[in-house]
């Protein structure tokens, strides 16, 4: 278990701070740090050697992932020695920098580490720290031995928790807490309206911290009274957290509760205008209200901005997450949201196509079409990442054929719009007593996969073409490999059927995803594994282990080869199909990662979480480049617009939020659904957003209008918020009730027909 | 809702008694009060934690119901062995048991004999998961097919008809439907405005498919093929998309009854009544708007003096019974304080019953109609008339043979009276059943009534026994018309197809569904016939006229009438 802890810690470190070979952190490291520089490459080389000879096809030039326990431990020892030396000589700055770079979890040091997550800047230290603590807990509690985990666990997270909680030990008079809180409340209620909304944000974090302080110092009855008196004042969207909180009445409870640990370690972020902040500061200083001032100083992060104070509705639209709002600087990083250049395919098949067109008697049209397509693909999007920013698999012949098919189909695509709504074909799963949990369609809509709570995965053919297995090895030997129809001959006609079952998981399947080439299927399950299935043989090829806890979602990269998964262990992992260990671990969420999606250019991954936040991660270096707050419930669906510029997210609160990735802003809110939104999809050209929900409806929204109405320039982006129009009703183009079928999945075919899927619920 | 939840937020803790009981059940005899308290707090906290984790599994399982499986998975997360042997059940009753001065909850588990399980035949294998595709929307419009929910839900049909201005586009109804009804209807100006804006709304056309459907259905309903008819009726009773055709159906039925009563075509009348029944069975239709056409038709079939060509042979009594049941059913469903259907119907029946000149057939219908309305009606309106009716029956039975028809009529009225009154008398009249007493109270019918009551009492006693023994197997007699069909097929089966002539333009005619009773030109032929025939049967025309005038004047001819009623009633 000890080994695990270190292993986990080391996996984290390079991913968070080290992009590629030479770390970005070097740039801000002053030159004086010669001595440390020597230690650093050591850590790296040790890992890179493991993966340097990866694959010819070009994987990510991986930062170190695996690390043997023993050598690592030695490195750590030397690092600690160096640190001690530096500290003795009062070189505090160097100590900080070294620690940041090496991401050492300094056990002797009881104060919380600030700025250990170098990649995200100083302010994000809390996150990285919480990660470390969380991973150590998670890995320590890995369920290999069910008999002993609890003592082991406490032994290892004890130091963490005590570090975290020690801040609470300084105590004021417990009986005065209510007075303090009431005093602040009265003050905030008496200030000018324009400041009140902003300052009201303070209530919730203060309330939680004061309550926890009371609990920590064993003032159980006082804590209870405090809770009862003020819990009613909190915003309704914090109800879920309050429910957890109200169960906590003892100091012992605090130790094991991960959610609280995170609340403590990550500072709650508030965004307040300078005027309001001055007002608050003056008040607290006048009153000598040190208790509250201390909490604000220590546990909150107040992001002060210049400009008009925000209105209540503006604040409400952005708040609601587990750890406050986004800091503005977090979303400043450049995101290459443009699409990759389409590979140019000269096609022998094109002639055939031409002939077909000729027969129909419109040869002229064909040419112009072709030209426009060509010019489009040649133009390089200024916002697109470099073609080889991350290594992508090379196109195979079959992929090229598929691309041609895609182009042909897309010429027949229906142009959608408010006047031209798509037809919806609903696939109902009948007799799914065992519970349908996940659905996916292939891009060409020919196959459909369903994951079920009874651990099975089923694949259906959505076309009349039946599913067939490849013949057995012995039979394959007999085939004439030179024949033209060899691909047809290898299939076993006897196995043809409408659907195929895939058995292998040992728990409910929560996510399924087809590979773009339709040869593979991924499924993630409660049993902690992600499995890769072959759709040629209909057998399991690989079981990717690593999450250890339920894996809530998985998604294939649009170019294949990579995939991402996210689960209860609060991290998302990036995998390559030919590696049994993850290439990247995206850590930072404070609760379960509930859904994961790849950006259309495959350079980014977006994750939604139970902590009610959305994070966009850079696949290249593992950094979190966007952090979105605003949802009031766990996020259960995400969708990128086809041009890669926008993101839509749906959650249990029944709202769809729209985000501008480039500017890092919320740009729209679509209200209407009355239950969890489990499915979101943009039409192929991005004009229409379809959302499907537990409330048995499919709704269509005018996404074009939603995006066009927004004026997002760099100026508005600077403040980090823009006024949101309340125009859900105008944007809603259509609502279609199913009889009694919650909508689990939505998919636009290449011709813009909308396919919906869900399990019919007979009650 | 948030408020309610807040109330519950403050920590709920398991009672310490439960701790004690659980401790005892695992063999720990005496537990200190403090340990109980500490335990219960700890256990409550842990249970909450597990419940919160279990919720995650519910959400990811895309369900609204928490299952025991979710709890098991949540336990697994915490490295706790799951609880084996618990299955998700819809209903898990907790029982109370008190003993030793305290109350206990327990879950009743019966001991199961293995041999029982082995010997019982295997249950049916559950069906495999299958996939079915249908169109949820075609170019943005939801097709009205059985797989989709009814295009216009009943609630909205109601708002459409009562609040035409509030009718909103689908998709925006959240805001539209909240507004209260009946507002602003009082002032004349508003009315005028509504009138102005209502006109374009009321013109709507049926699509070609709908016209075809209407033609097929109506032909099948009155055609000669019984299998087809059953299918058509089934379709009317279940199809969710009939809303738009409702005015046509309603007109079809009322016109059909009008014509066929005059022609004494019993079979067709029966078919039409079955259509009414099917319409009433359809849960997606808002029929209130069309009662002014349907009720007169139904009442005609109950009380009309003559319904068939050979009243002495044909079983028109069954039709009267069936229609009476329909009438009772519609009274139950549609009668409100505003339209007073039940009291108006009752008044009409009683009036006809009190009239001395009423024919036996009409008399039978009136009694049947009243009797179906329930025991209270029988008690207050029929039983007091028993002696008078008895005397009248006696006059026919014992008197000189005037006509065979009268005798048959009297006979049917007698058995009808006995049938309905016996059970009511059995319930209300105290024992003993003395024949003389009955004779004194009920006159001529007393003797027979007495024997019927005795029978009814015996049967009731027998039923009570069976009810006690088994749990509850009350079979409610449902009105069906299969029996009358058998009697009819011989007499009228051959000449059905071309007798009913539906106005051919009906499919295209009614551009204003709200006022379909206004006579339309193509129907004149029949109306003329109706009046000419009416001279012969004044009784029938009187009753008919009464109803038509009643319903045309009072029921919503269009909505402001109805609305005015509504508002005035509210005040």
């Amino acid at each position: 278990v000890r080994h695990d802890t270190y292993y986990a810690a080391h996996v984290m470190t390079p991913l968070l701070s080290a992009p590629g070979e030479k770390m970005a952190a070097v740039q801000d490291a002053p030159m004086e740090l010669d001595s440390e520089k020597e230690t650093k490459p050591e850590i790296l080389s040790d890992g890179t050697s493991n993966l340097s000879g990866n694959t010819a096809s070009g994987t990510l030039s991986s930062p170190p992932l695996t690390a043997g326990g023993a050598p690592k431990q030695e490195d750590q020892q030397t690092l600690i020695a160096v640190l001690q030396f530096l500290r003795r000589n009062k070189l505090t700055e160097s100590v900080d920098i070294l620690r940041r770079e090496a991401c050492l979890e300094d056990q002797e040091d009881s104060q919380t580490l600030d700025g250990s997550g170098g990649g995200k800047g100083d302010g994000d230290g809390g996150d990285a720290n919480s990660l470390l603590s969380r991973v150590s807990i998670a890995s320590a509690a890995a369920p290999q031995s069910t008999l002993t985990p609890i003592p082991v666990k406490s032994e290892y997270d004890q130091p963490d928790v005590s570090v975290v909680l020690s801040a609470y030990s300084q105590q004021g008079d417990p009986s005065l807490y209510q007075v303090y809180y009431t005093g602040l409340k009265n003050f905030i209620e008496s200030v000018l309206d324009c400041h009140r909304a902003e300052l009201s944000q303070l209530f919730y974090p203060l309330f939680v911290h004061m309550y926890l302080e009371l609990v920590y110092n064993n003032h159980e009855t006082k804590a209870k009274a405090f809770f009862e008196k003020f819990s009613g004042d909190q915003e309704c969207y914090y109800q879920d957290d309050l429910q957890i909180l109200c169960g906590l009445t003892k100091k012992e409870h605090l130790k094991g509760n991960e959610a609280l640990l995170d609340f403590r370690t990550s500072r709650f972020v508030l965004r307040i205008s300078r005027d309001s902040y001055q007002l608050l500061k003056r008040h607290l200083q006048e009153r000598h209200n040190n208790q509250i001032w201390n909490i604000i100083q220590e546990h909150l992060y107040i992001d002060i901005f210049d400009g008009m104070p925000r209105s209540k509705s503006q604040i409400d639209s952005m708040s609601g997450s587990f750890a406050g709002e986004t800091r503005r600087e977090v979303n400043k990083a450049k995101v290459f949201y443009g699409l990759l250049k389409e590979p140019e395919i000269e096609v022998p098949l094109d002639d055939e196509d031409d002939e077909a067109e000729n027969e129909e008697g419109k040869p002229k049209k064909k040419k112009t079409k072709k030209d426009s397509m060509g010019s489009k693909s040649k133009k390089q999007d200024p916002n697109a990442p470099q073609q080889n920013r991350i290594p992508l698999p090379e196109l195979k012949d079959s992929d090229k054929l598929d691309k041609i098919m895609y182009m042909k189909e897309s010429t027949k695509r229906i142009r959608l719009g408010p006047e031209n709504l798509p037809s919806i074909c609903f696939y109902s799963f009948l007799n799914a007593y065992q519970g349908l949990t996940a659905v996916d369609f292939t891009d060409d809509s020919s196959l459909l996969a369903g994951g079920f709570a009874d651990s099975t995965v089923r694949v259906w053919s959505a076309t009349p073409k039946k599913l067939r297995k490849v013949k057995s090895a012995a039979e394959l030997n007999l085939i004439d490999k030179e024949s033209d129809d060899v691909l047809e001959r290898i299939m076993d006609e006897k196995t043809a059927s409408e659907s195929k079952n895939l058995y292998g998981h040992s728990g409910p399947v929560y996510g399924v995803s087809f590979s773009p080439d339709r040869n593979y299927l991924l499924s993630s399950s409660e049993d902690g594994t992600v499995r890769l299935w072959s759709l040629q043989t209909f057998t399991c090829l690989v079981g990717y282990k690593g999450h250890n806890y339920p894996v809530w979602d998985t998604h294939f990269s649009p170019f294949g080869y990579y995939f991402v998964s996210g689960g209860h262990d609060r991290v998302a992992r990036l995998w390559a199909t030919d590696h049994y260990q993850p290439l990247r671990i995206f850590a930072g969420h404070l609760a379960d990662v509930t859904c994961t999606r790849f950006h259309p250019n495959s350079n980014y991954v977006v994750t939604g979480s139970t902590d009610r936040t959305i994070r966009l991660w850079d696949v290249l270096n593992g950094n979190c480049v966007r952090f979105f707050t605003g949802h009031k419930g766990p996020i259960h669906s995400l969708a990128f617009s086809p041009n890669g510029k926008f993101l839509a997210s749906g959650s249990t609160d029944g709202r769809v939020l729209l985000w501008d990735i480039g500017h890092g802003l919320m740009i729209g809110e679509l209200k209407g659904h009355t239950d969890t939104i489990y499915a979101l999809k943009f039409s192929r050209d991005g004009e229409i957003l379809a959302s499907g929900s537990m409330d048995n409806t499919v709704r269509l929204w005018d996404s074009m209008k939603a995006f066009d109405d927004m004026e997002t320039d760099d100026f508005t982006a600077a403040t980090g918020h823009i006024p949101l129009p309340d125009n859900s009703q105008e944007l809603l183009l259509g609502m279609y009730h199913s009889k009694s079928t919650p909508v689990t999945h939505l998919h636009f075919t290449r011709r813009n027909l909308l396919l919906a899927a869900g399990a019919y619920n007979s009650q | 809702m948030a408020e309610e939840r807040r109330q519950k937020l403050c920590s709920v803790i398991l009672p310490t008694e439960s701790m004690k009981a659980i401790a005892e059940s695992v063999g720990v005899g005496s537990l200190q009060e403090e340990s109980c308290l500490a335990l219960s707090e700890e256990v409550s906290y842990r249970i909450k934690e597990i419940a919160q984790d279990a919720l995650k599994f519910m959400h990811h399982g895309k369900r609204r119901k928490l299952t025991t499986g979710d709890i098991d998975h949540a336990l697994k997360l915490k490295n706790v062995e799951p609880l084996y042997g618990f299955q998700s059940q819809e209903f898990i009753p907790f029982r109370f048991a008190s003993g030793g001065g305290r109350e206990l909850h327990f879950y009743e588990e019966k001991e199961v004999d293995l041999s029982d399980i082995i010997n019982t035949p295997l249950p049916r294998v559950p069906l495999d998961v299958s996939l079915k595709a249908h169109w949820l929307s075609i170019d943005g419009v939801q097709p009205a097919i059985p797989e989709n929910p009814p295009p216009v839900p009943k609630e909205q049909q109601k708002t459409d008809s009562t609040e035409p201005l509030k009718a909103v586009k689908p998709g925006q109804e959240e805001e539209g439907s909240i507004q209260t009804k009946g507002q602003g209807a009082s002032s004349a100006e508003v009315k005028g405005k509504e009138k102005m804006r209502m006109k374009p709304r009321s013109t709507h056309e049926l699509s070609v498919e709908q016209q075809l459907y209407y033609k097929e259905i109506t032909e099948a309903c009155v055609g000669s093929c019984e299998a087809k008819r059953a299918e058509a009726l089934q379709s009317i009773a279940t199809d969710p998309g009939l809303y738009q055709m409702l005015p046509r159906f309603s007109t079809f039925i009322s016109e059909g009854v009008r014509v066929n009563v005059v022609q004494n075509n019993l079979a067709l009348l029966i078919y039409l009544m079955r259509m009414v029944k099917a319409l009433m069975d359809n849960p997606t239709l808002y029929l209130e708007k069309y009662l002014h056409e349907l009720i007169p038709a139904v009442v005609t079939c109950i009380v009309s003096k003559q319904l068939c060509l050979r009243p002495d042979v044909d079983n028109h009594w069954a039709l009267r019974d069936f229609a009476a049941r329909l009438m009772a059913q519609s009274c139950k469903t549609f009668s409100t304080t505003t339209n007073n259907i039940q009291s108006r119907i009752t008044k009409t029946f009683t009036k006809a019953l009190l009239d001395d000149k009423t024919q036996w057939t009409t008399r039978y219908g009136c009694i049947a109609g009243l009797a179906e309305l329930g025991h209270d009606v029988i008690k207050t309106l029929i039983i007091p008339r028993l002696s008078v009716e008895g005397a009248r029956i006696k006059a026919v039975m014992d008197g000189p043979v005037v006509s065979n028809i009268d005798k048959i009529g009297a006979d049917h009225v007698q058995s009808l009276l006995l049938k309905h009154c016996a059970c009511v008398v059995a319930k209300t009249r105290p024992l003993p059943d003395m024949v003389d007493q009955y004779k004194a109270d009920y006159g001529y019918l007393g003797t027979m009534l007495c024997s019927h009551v005795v029978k009814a009492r015996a049967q009731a006693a027998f039923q009570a026994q069976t009810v006690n023994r088994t749990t509850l197997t009350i079979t409610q007699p449902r009105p069906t018309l299969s029996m009358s069909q058998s009697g009819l097929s011989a007499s009228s089966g051959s000449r059905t197809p071309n007798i009913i002539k539906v106005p051919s333009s009906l499919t295209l005619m009614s551009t204003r569904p709200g006022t379909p009773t206004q006579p339309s030109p193509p129907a004149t032929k029949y109306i003329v016939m109706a009046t000419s025939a009416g001279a012969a049967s004044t009784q029938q025309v009187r009753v008919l006229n009464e109803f038509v005038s009643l319903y045309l004047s009072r029921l919503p001819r269009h909505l402001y009438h109805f609305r005015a009623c509504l508002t005035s009633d509210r005040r």
Side-chain angles (χ1 to χ4, degrees), chain B residues 200-317:
Chain B
R201 260 190 61 78
S202 50
T203 56
H204 66 184
E205 289 153 18
L206 294 185
S207 66
V208 180
E209 292 86 356
Q210 280 172 322
Q211 289 181 27
L212 271 176
Y213 173 85
Y214 173 81
K215 189 165 162 273
E216 286 289 322
I217 286 284
T218 45
E219 277 175 8
C221 275
V222 297
S224 56
C225 173
E226 180 58 29
K228 248 188 172 178
R229 176 165 26 253
E231 244 173 75
L233 290 174
Q234 173 74 15
S235 170
I236 294 179
T238 52
D239 225 308
L242 298 181
Y243 162 62
Q244 294 200 314
M245 274 167 272
L246 199 48
R248 276 79 171 172
F249 278 127
S250 151
T251 314
F252 177 83
I253 290 167
S254 79
E255 292 288 314
V257 167
R258 209 182 279 187
V259 170
N260 288 292
V261 156
V262 175
Q263 302 196 340
N264 291 327
N265 192 334
L266 181 61
L268 279 173
L269 288 175
I270 289 172
Y271 299 151
L272 291 168
M273 284 304 107
R274 286 172 77 185
M275 267 180 92
V276 175
K277 167 99 178 95
L279 282 175
M280 280 171 61
D281 285 346
N282 192 324
T284 63
L285 292 177
Y286 180 76
L287 275 184
E288 276 86 336
K289 238 166 110 177
Y290 305 97
L291 290 180
H292 63 284
E293 287 190 309
L294 296 179
I295 288 186
V298 172
V299 173
T300 306
C301 288
I302 301 174
V303 299
S304 176
K305 194 185 118 197
Q306 196 177 354
L307 287 170
C308 49
L309 286 176
R310 291 165 294 167
D312 47 341
V313 186
D314 292 339
N315 186 5
H316 59 96
W317 313 103

Side-chain angles (χ1 to χ4, degrees), chain B residues 349-403:
Chain B
F349 282 145
T350 337
K351 208 170 151 197
L353 192 62
L354 291 178
D355 193 340
D356 277 341
K357 287 173 205 145
T358 311
Q359 304 263 336
W360 282 111
T361 45
T362 309
R363 195 171 290 281
Y364 179 91
C366 290
I367 295 170
L370 286 173
E372 290 296 340
L373 291 175
H375 285 181
D376 285 340
V377 180
I378 297 176
K379 203 172 110 188
T380 48
L381 294 176
I382 301 182
I383 292 182
R385 299 268 312 158
L386 270 181
S387 48
V388 183
E389 295 299 325
R392 193 170 284 139
I393 292 167
K394 187 169 185 260
V396 175
M397 293 296 191
D398 299 347
V401 180
V402 183
S403 82

Side-chain angles (χ1 to χ4, degrees), chain B residues 14 17-28 43:
Chain B
L14 293 173
E17 287 86 48
S18 308
M19 294 301 120
K20 267 193 192 138
I22 294 166
E24 273 170 27
S25 73
V26 295
V28 180
V43 168

Side-chain angles (χ1 to χ4, degrees), chain A residues 386-401:
Chain A
Q386 278 187 323
Q387 203 72 13
N388 55 356
R389 190 165 176 266
I390 62 161
L392 292 172
E394 273 182 30
L395 284 182
K396 290 176 293 197
D397 285 349
S398 58
D399 296 331
K400 286 179 183 164
L401 281 177

